[in-house]
Amino acid sequence: MFPDISDIKKLRKKVEMTQKELAKRTGLSQSYIARLENGDLNPSYENLKKIFSVLEYELEKREEREIRVKDVMTRDVIFVDYNDSVDTAMRIFLKYGFSQLPVMKNGQVVGSITESVISSKISNGKSPSELKKLKVYEIMEEPFPIVGESTPIKIAAFLLKFYPAIIVTNGEKITGIVTKADLLKTI
């Protein structure tokens, strides 16, 4: 079953094709496509089949070209262990220039720690020397979202509005991490 005739114009624009290009690819005239999109024609089954075949093919090609998280992720995931000290996390932040880290326990992501949570503790009266002695699990936050490698970058960009990072997996294996800085690779 075909999509509705009224969808032709919307699909054509989505694949960034002109009426003239669609006409050429289908063997129909540009005026036929224009009249069809305006609702002035009642097309034959064969002509609809030609039009939607071309548009569906272009949509599929477009989806294949879509950037996925695997294309921009950082593959070497640095993490901190659940039982590590906050001092260890702060040293990693400084060494690598990170502002967030996933927290692991027994090979599983169980939380996250960020510079902002550490700063918040300090601004709420915790001294840096006291904070360094705490364990990561005592101040960690919820884990970052986990997505598959083939997740479209649009979804990652949306998640990064709410989270500082996204963990990327292939099956059960962690294969990368995506941050807002990684999104710049798409430009």
Side-chain angles (χ1 to χ4, degrees), residues 14 58-68:
K14 186 173 184 175
E58 290 300 318
L59 276 173
E60 286 175 18
K61 272 182 27 183
R62 188 177 183 90
E63 287 174 4
E64 288 172 10
R65 290 190 311 253
E66 188 173 29
I67 299 171
R68 308 285 177 179

Side-chain angles (χ1 to χ4, degrees), residues 146-168:
I146 298 173
V147 300
E149 290 182 345
S150 62
T151 301
I153 199 67
K154 288 185 248 179
I155 293 174
F158 177 78
L159 288 170
L160 288 170
K161 290 180 181 180
F162 307 101
Y163 299 93
I166 301 166
I167 301 296
V168 183

Side-chain angles (χ1 to χ4, degrees), residues 45-62:
Y45 174 79
E46 286 303 314
N47 286 345
L48 277 181
K49 187 175 172 183
K50 288 177 192 176
I51 291 167
F52 283 114
S53 291
V54 168
L55 293 173
E56 287 172 3
Y57 174 77
E58 290 300 318
L59 276 173
E60 286 175 18
K61 272 182 27 183
R62 188 177 183 90

Side-chain angles (χ1 to χ4, degrees), residues 12 25 41 156 162 186:
R12 180 181 58 75
R25 298 271 306 274
L41 276 182
F162 307 101
T186 65

Side-chain angles (χ1 to χ4, degrees), residues 38 41 46 82 99 115 122 178 184:
N38 288 331
L41 276 182
E46 286 303 314
Y82 179 84
S99 58
E115 285 181 342
I122 292 170
V178 176
L184 297 177

